[in-house]
Amino acid sequence: MRVTSKVPGKCILFGEHAVVYGFPSISMAIPLNSTCIVEENKLNSIELNFKTINKKYEGSNLVDIEQKIPSNYSQFILGLNSLGNKFDIEIKDIRIELSSDIIPNAGLGSSASTSIALISAVSEFYGLNLKKADIFNFALEMEKITHGNPSGIDHTTCLYGNILFYQKGKPFHIVYPPDDFQVLITYTNQEHDTKEVISNVKRLKDEKSHLFDSIVDKIGFYTEIAELELVSGNYEEVGKLMNFNQDLLSQLNVSNETIDKINEIALKNGAYGSKLTGAGLGGCVITLGEEKELKKIAKIFKSQGYWNFLTTQDKNGAIATK
Ligand code: MEV
């Protein structure tokens, strides 16, 4: 038997960081995918193959593999162990191959997407019949290793696809704009460390709580208005709100020179709005505008060495099939 799962990445349109503290956010699943293939292994061992980085780990059991694997991949072992313990199954004699189109550590949900791909495929392989809410719990647990205090927005978006209005601890809902508008996603060529950026923001909260509260409060306010503008198809207004959000993210000290430069070029060339997406201090920028303008801006970024991707939302979310 062979199971394949396919899980999208994500970008955050509004509300990163504030969402960690209970404020609303809007995210969008994007069609860059992580894929996990699980099949029987006739060699009586476990093989864990991270195809994207061309690294393969083999062992007679999970403990064996855990000793060989670098610590930044230990979240995958934790996920497999939790799954095995919860359902009382011994995970053995299988080949797991994980790959992803998503740039790692760039704010596009690579960690959430690969974790969900793994849990979805392995649980389908063992016929565990997990619901999306169960997969969410396993994958979020895995994320705590790399991330510290995840809000759950990345996992929810990668699992369910679409554009989501998400607030921690509350039911999320899908946002339906009148059409599939496009966004341009541009990589700053700088990896970020999400855990570190989140702890910098937490320090600001601890040291300057009044300032912090007023910033995240405004982010939450703009996010709520942004939802109304999105469903009305007022993309020019949505763009303005993105610029306000970017300004507030700068005040949280999560922007940097490259992000500011990319935003400036985008706005100078006719974009409605442009902001960092995800944790910031590197990673990616998202830009909203008319398709013609976005294509022009994409060319400029490409000529300056910035990888970019013009896209609309992914509507499928996570899928695992036999
Ligand atoms: C990361 O994609 C978004 C952050 O808000 C962290 C989180 O919500 O878990 C920075």
Side-chain angles (χ1 to χ4, degrees):
M1 195 206 339
R2 183 182 162 108
V3 172
T4 304
S5 66
K6 204 172 152 195
V7 183
K10 68 92 191 52
C11 64
I12 297 184
L13 300 177
F14 289 93
E16 48 275 271
H17 289 293
V19 67
V20 173
Y21 299 92
F23 291 88
S25 56
I26 302 175
S27 59
M28 177 169 127
I30 54 170
L32 290 175
N33 291 297
S34 301
T35 305
C36 183
I37 299 171
V38 180
E39 60 193 354
E40 277 148 38
N41 188 354
K42 307 244 161 45
L43 299 175
N44 291 345
S45 65
I46 303 182
E47 180 187 305
L48 190 49
N49 182 354
F50 296 102
K51 202 172 162 218
T52 319
I53 52 161
N54 210 4
K55 287 249 160 24
K56 213 190 262 185
Y57 301 92
E58 278 184 84
S60 49
N61 52 39
L62 282 178
V63 179
D64 220 17
I65 295 191
E66 194 168 10
Q67 279 156 7
K68 298 176 183 162
I69 210 164
S71 60
N72 49 336
Y73 288 107
S74 56
Q75 72 186 88
F76 298 108
I77 302 294
L78 178 123
L80 292 170
N81 274 330
S82 318
L83 209 58
N85 292 339
K86 173 94 192 271
F87 293 96
D88 206 15
I89 45 171
E90 195 183 344
I91 297 186
K92 55 175 194 160
D93 307 340
I94 57 171
R95 266 196 77 244
I96 302 173
E97 183 186 291
L98 257 177
S99 56
S100 186
D101 312 329
I102 308 169
I103 308 168
N105 307 316
L108 300 182
S110 136
S111 177
S113 174
T114 46
S115 296
I116 291 168
L118 177 81
I119 298 296
S120 311
V122 174
S123 59
E124 182 72 21
F125 180 84
Y126 286 106
L128 301 180
N129 215 1
L130 290 195
K131 300 209 166 46
K132 285 198 170 176
D134 302 318
I135 298 174
F136 174 87
N137 288 332
F138 279 112
L140 197 72
E141 206 48 47
M142 292 163 73
E143 189 77 0
K144 285 185 184 156
I145 295 191
T146 47
H147 198 314
N149 182 22
S151 66
I153 187 174
D154 290 15
H155 298 73
T156 308
T157 315
C158 297
L159 261 170
Y160 294 90
N162 293 287
I163 297 175
L164 303 183
F165 185 94
Y166 178 88
Q167 201 163 359
K168 206 167 151 181
K170 292 193 179 167
F172 68 89
H173 61 262
I174 298 180
V175 177
Y176 292 102
D179 51 78
D180 289 340
F181 64 89
Q182 301 208 326
V183 293
L184 179 68
I185 297 177
T186 306
Y187 183 42
T188 56
N189 292 328
Q190 296 165 348
E191 284 199 2
H192 61 198
D193 179 338
T194 302
K195 201 170 183 171
E196 193 181 309
V197 187
I198 287 180
S199 78
N200 291 351
V201 173
K202 166 88 170 54
R203 199 168 329 115
L204 181 74
K205 176 181 160 57
D206 293 343
E207 287 170 4
K208 296 185 177 167
S209 67
H210 285 307
L211 173 71
F212 177 86
D213 288 349
S214 86
I215 298 171
V216 286
D217 211 56
K218 282 184 206 143
I219 293 178
F221 175 68
Y222 290 139
T223 302
E224 282 178 3
I225 305 178
E227 184 189 18
L228 303 177
E229 300 294 4
L230 270 174
V231 294
S232 310
N234 293 335
Y235 302 119
E236 212 166 328
E237 291 307 311
V238 177
K240 280 186 199 154
L241 293 163
M242 281 169 64
N243 296 336
F244 293 156
N245 193 163
Q246 167 62 33
D247 198 35
L248 293 162
L249 287 163
S250 294
Q251 293 176 40
L252 287 180
N253 303 325
V254 297
S255 194
N256 69 11
E257 261 178 42
T258 312
I259 294 169
D260 293 348
K261 180 179 137 195
I262 290 175
N263 286 334
E264 200 186 308
I265 296 172
L267 295 176
K268 255 195 199 149
N269 284 282
Y272 293 151
S274 197
K275 64 179 272 295
L276 68 87
T277 185
L281 290 182
C284 286
V285 165
I286 45 162
T287 305
L288 185 67
E290 293 288 343
E291 188 175 345
K292 198 168 136 243
E293 258 66 48
L294 292 184
K295 283 190 172 154
K296 184 178 82 187
I297 296 164
K299 258 195 193 154
I300 299 172
F301 288 154
K302 202 168 164 214
S303 73
Q304 299 192 4
Y306 296 114
W307 173 92
N308 56 70
F309 175 56
L310 186 62
T311 187
T312 59
Q313 55 173 304
D314 163 280
K315 293 182 183 165
N316 299 318
I319 298 169
T321 44
K322 278 191 184 127

